[in-house]
């Protein structure tokens, strides 16, 4: 079996110690330059639904590993959000060479179409609604596209941010017994589509913000707009704050961050915040409540699913996203009852739900 090991975290067929992925497709298209990985973790609840990341990776292994972890996270996310879909994710390897973007995403659309509906795509980091429009030219298995005539649809990020806000509020109440965010300090890592919208909501709710981003323009604006304290990207995990909200890429909670951070709650939008479940155990032992990413950042996929089904309506979608709050309370109860760390408790809960529905 050693020969099958491809990455630090996984094998050719899946992540170490976890049930294997159902399907992993590697595809290239010479004409457009497409190099893509589609990972389908589970279709037990229905077709695998999850976004497409367009990113320049340090290595093919890193991209592969990302696809494996992200698709597993989508299966947990969709199950906990009670959506009738399984989990999958696509990764397009971004080349330093200038490519025809529309041609690239059309080629990706043909790849999605070739999977005959076992995988449905949408935006993720690095992709836009315009990219999804190009995909839509080739397949109907796509969501996250603005529609005409008041038909529900479009960029899911505001719904994601709303869900993270609701989940963060619930986590603060469950862990600290505080029912408002007035005066609560929140360190936000990443001021992109989700992080910025979250900051707007936190600021309105009276939270004190500490922010970091690799883009100095965004942090300067946050300082001005939210009276936020700006810290360097390397420093955000070391600041003292009630809450840490990772909203950049994954992997913020490393072994040393878990062991040393001075937060009371971790709740944010980024996928795969923990390097592994072991970091979640360390946070738990230190009395830090971790609201799992795949529980609190489900607002975007809820939006994409309702758009895809043609059943979306703004208020109904927001009401569905707001259910993230009660789920965080239920998780806190499970943690209390079992003594198991929130990340592991949430995985177990998701697995209970990863059955036909
Ligand atoms: P985005 O690309 O709009 O924003 C990411 C931000 O993080 C950018 O401002 C970028 O400059 C910043 N950043 C990158 N590296 C950083 C670092 N080391 N330190 C600080 N800032 C850094 O992406 P997004 O759509 O806001 O998504 C953010 C996270 O949320 C991602 O992990 C994504 O997978 C996850 N997520 C997003 C959605 C959604 O609807 N957009 C849904 C679910 C999960």
């Amino acid at each position: 079996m050693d020969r099958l090991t491809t990455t630090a975290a996984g094998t050719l067929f899946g992540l170490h110690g976890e049930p294997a992925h159902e399907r992993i497709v590697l595809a290239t298209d010479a004409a457009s330059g497409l190099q893509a990985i589609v990972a389908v973790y589970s279709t037990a609840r229905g077709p695998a639904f999850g976004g497409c990341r367009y990113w320049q990776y340090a290595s093919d292994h890193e991209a592969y590993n990302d696809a494996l972890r992200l698709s597993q996270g989508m299966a947990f996310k969709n199950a906990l959000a009670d959506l009738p879909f399984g989990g999958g994710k696509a990764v397009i390897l971004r080349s330093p060479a200038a490519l025809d973007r529309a041609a690239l995403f059309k080629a990706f659309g043909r790849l999605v179409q070739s999977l005959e509906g076992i995988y449905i795509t949408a935006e993720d980091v690095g992709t836009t609604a315009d990219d999804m429009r190009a995909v839509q030219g080739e397949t109907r298995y796509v969501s996250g596209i603005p529609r005409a005539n008041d038909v529900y649809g479009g960029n899911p990020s505001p719904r994601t941010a709303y869900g993270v806000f609701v989940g963060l509020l619930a986590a603060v109440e469950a862990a600290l017994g505080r029912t408002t965010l007035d005066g609560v300090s929140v360190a936000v890592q990443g001021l992109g589509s989700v992080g910025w919208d979250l900051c707007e909501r936190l600021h309105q709710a009276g939270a004190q913000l500490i922010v970091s981003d690799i883009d100095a323009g965004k942090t300067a604006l946050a300082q001005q707009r939210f009276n936020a304290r700006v810290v360097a990207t390397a420093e955000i995990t070391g600041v003292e704050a009630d809450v840490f909200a990772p909203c950049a890429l994954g992997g913020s909670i490393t072994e040393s961050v878990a062991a040393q951070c001075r937060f009371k709650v971790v709740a944010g939008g980024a996928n795969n915040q923990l390097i592994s479940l072991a970091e979640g155990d360390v946070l738990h032992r230190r009395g830090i409540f971790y609201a799992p990413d795949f529980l609190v950042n489900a607002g975007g996929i809820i939006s994409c699913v309702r758009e895809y089904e043609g059943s979306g309506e703004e208020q109904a979608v927001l009401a569905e996203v707001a259910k993230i709050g009660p789920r965080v309370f239920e998780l806190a109860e499970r943690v209390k009852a079992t003594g198991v760390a929130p990340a592991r408790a949430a995985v177990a809960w998701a697995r209970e739900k990863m059955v036909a529905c």
Side-chain angles (χ1 to χ4, degrees):
M1 287 301 279
D2 277 352
R3 282 186 310 137
L4 292 179
T5 301
T6 64
T7 70
T11 72
L12 272 184
F13 297 109
L15 297 160
H16 286 307
E18 302 279 345
H21 281 58
E22 280 181 24
R23 199 182 302 188
I24 303 167
V25 178
L26 307 181
T28 61
D29 175 68
S32 64
L34 177 77
Q35 289 189 310
I37 304 165
V38 178
V40 170
Y41 184 64
S42 165
T43 57
R45 291 180 65 86
F49 210 135
C52 169
R53 182 165 291 194
Y54 184 37
W55 196 249
Q56 195 172 334
Y57 290 94
S59 69
D60 293 355
H61 281 176
E62 197 190 295
Y64 192 82
N65 198 37
D66 210 22
L68 294 187
R69 286 202 72 197
L70 288 166
S71 56
Q72 185 191 58
M74 285 311 304
F76 297 158
K77 191 182 307 191
N78 292 341
L80 285 182
D82 289 326
L83 297 170
F85 288 93
K89 199 94 178 183
V91 158
I92 300 179
L93 285 74
R94 191 171 197 144
S95 148
L99 298 175
D100 177 339
R101 190 157 175 140
L104 187 77
F105 281 91
K106 276 177 180 297
F108 174 65
R110 292 193 291 280
L111 168 62
V112 171
Q113 179 62 24
S114 74
L115 299 175
E116 297 177 332
I118 66 157
Y119 168 67
I120 301 155
T121 198
E123 291 99 335
D124 187 55
V125 173
T127 55
T128 64
D130 278 347
D131 298 329
M132 292 308 123
R133 274 203 196 89
V135 172
Q136 190 188 29
E138 307 293 328
T139 183
R140 66 185 175 86
Y141 303 119
V142 58
S143 189
I145 300 165
R147 318 270 160 165
N149 304 326
D150 289 337
V151 176
Y152 185 84
N155 178 2
S157 302
R159 261 56 87 175
T160 304
Y162 174 57
V164 173
F165 176 76
V166 167
L168 186 155
L169 190 60
V172 164
E173 185 173 346
L176 309 179
R178 295 174 73 157
T179 52
T180 80
L181 294 174
D182 200 19
V184 171
S185 53
V186 186
V188 181
Q189 181 184 46
L191 300 173
S193 313
V194 175
W196 186 267
D197 193 320
L198 178 66
C199 283
E200 301 249 20
R201 292 174 186 280
L202 293 170
H203 179 62
Q204 253 175 26
Q208 294 163 1
L209 296 180
I210 305 163
V211 299
S212 80
D213 198 292
I214 50 174
D215 182 337
K218 289 181 182 174
T219 52
L221 203 57
Q223 189 172 32
Q224 207 180 55
R225 184 103 158 234
F226 311 129
N227 197 24
R229 175 154 77 94
V230 176
V231 298
T233 53
E235 285 172 20
I236 191 84
T237 52
V239 300
E240 190 165 356
D242 296 315
V243 184
F244 178 45
C247 295
L249 296 183
S252 312
I253 313 288
T254 59
E255 201 180 329
S256 66
V257 169
Q260 291 165 23
C261 67
R262 294 177 293 164
F263 308 120
K264 297 170 186 154
V265 169
V266 177
N271 285 311
N272 295 336
Q273 292 164 22
L274 302 177
I275 294 287
S276 75
L277 289 176
E279 281 70 40
D281 295 338
V282 174
L283 292 178
H284 184 56
R285 276 200 297 276
R286 295 186 60 223
I288 299 165
F289 184 77
Y290 171 64
D293 41 26
F294 54 80
L295 176 55
V296 301
N297 72 10
I301 195 69
I302 292 169
S303 174
C304 286
V305 161
R306 298 311 172 209
E307 171 189 330
Y308 182 75
E309 292 175 337
S311 61
E313 188 272 311
E314 185 74 20
Q315 288 313 315
V317 169
L318 290 178
E320 193 175 353
V321 174
K323 290 181 183 169
I324 289 171
R327 287 194 192 107
V328 170
F329 289 124
E330 181 168 350
L331 177 68
E333 288 305 316
R334 284 173 176 249
V335 169
K336 241 185 247 163
T338 60
V340 171
R344 285 189 199 275
V347 168
W349 188 13
R351 289 206 183 280
E352 283 168 25
K353 290 180 165 232
M354 280 169 58
V355 291
C357 57

